[in-house]
Amino acid sequence: HCRSTPSGITNYPWTFLEFRGLVCPLDFWGHLGYTVLSDIMSGQSIQDRIIAARHSIAGQGLAKSVCKATTEEVMGPKKKHVDYLLQCTNEPNVSIPQLANLLIERTQHTNWVVVFKSLITIHNLMNYGNERFTQFLASNNCTLNLGNFLDKTGVQGYDMSTYIRRYSKYLNEKAFSYRAMAFDFCKVKR
C-alpha cells in the first residue's frame, strides 16, 4: 500500500499511504487512516460516514444504525442494519417513537437513494418488526409527506421520484388501514 511520497514532499516512503490516487500522511491519519480509507471503497459518501461517526461518538447506536441502513450508496439497505433495527423493535428499552422519527427524518433527505432506503426500512419494520412500530405510525399523525418529492440531481433521481411518491403513499395507506381496523392484513397466514 505504501508508495513513494508525492512530488515536492521530502519524507520517507512509508510515512504516506496511497489508496486509489489519494495520498494521506500516516502521521496525520495514524492507524485510523487504514479504516477511513478502506471505507472509501465501500461507496458510502463522506457525509454518511461523518453522520455515523457523530452518532457513534454521542453513543446513539440507534441513530447510527438508521444512518447506516439509509446511506447514499445505490444498493438495498444492508441486512445487518435492518436486522438490528428489527431486533430493536422487540426491545422494551428502545423508544419506538425515536426510531420512527429517525427514519421519518431520513425521508426528508434530498437524495432519492436515502429516501427510498428509509421507506424500505420502514416497510420492513412494519412487516417484520414488533407491532408497536406499526401502532405508533398509525396512532401518530406522522404521515410520510413525500407527495411533492423530487430529486433534481440527475435523470435517475427524476425517474425514481415518481416511485418514491407512490411507495410513501402506499405506506401511509397501510398505516391508515391499521389505524382504522387495528389489524395488519398483510401479516395473515395464507
Side-chain angles (χ1 to χ4, degrees), residues 91-143:
E91 295 294 324
N93 60 341
V94 171
S95 170
I96 295 297
Q98 181 188 11
L99 173 58
N101 289 332
L102 286 168
L103 285 164
I104 290 168
E105 183 181 314
R106 293 295 280 180
T107 64
Q108 301 307 307
H109 202 279
T110 56
N111 186 319
W112 72 268
V113 178
V114 174
V115 175
F116 194 49
K117 284 180 161 183
S118 300
L119 295 175
I120 291 169
T121 306
I122 289 169
H123 195 186
N124 273 299
L125 294 179
M126 288 175 82
N127 285 339
Y128 305 112
N130 192 298
E131 198 169 358
R132 295 183 308 144
F133 185 80
T134 307
Q135 284 173 348
F136 175 78
L137 291 179
S139 66
N140 196 7
N141 283 335
C142 60
T143 58

Side-chain angles (χ1 to χ4, degrees), residues 166-179:
R166 287 180 187 165
Y167 195 19
S168 69
K169 187 176 179 183
Y170 166 74
L171 292 177
N172 280 333
E173 289 296 322
K174 186 174 170 78
F176 179 76
S177 71
Y178 187 89
R179 183 183 321 155

Side-chain angles (χ1 to χ4, degrees), residues 178-190:
Y178 187 89
R179 183 183 321 155
M181 304 302 283
F183 186 76
D184 187 356
F185 291 100
C186 294
K187 291 187 177 182
V188 175
K189 302 281 184 194
R190 294 181 187 172

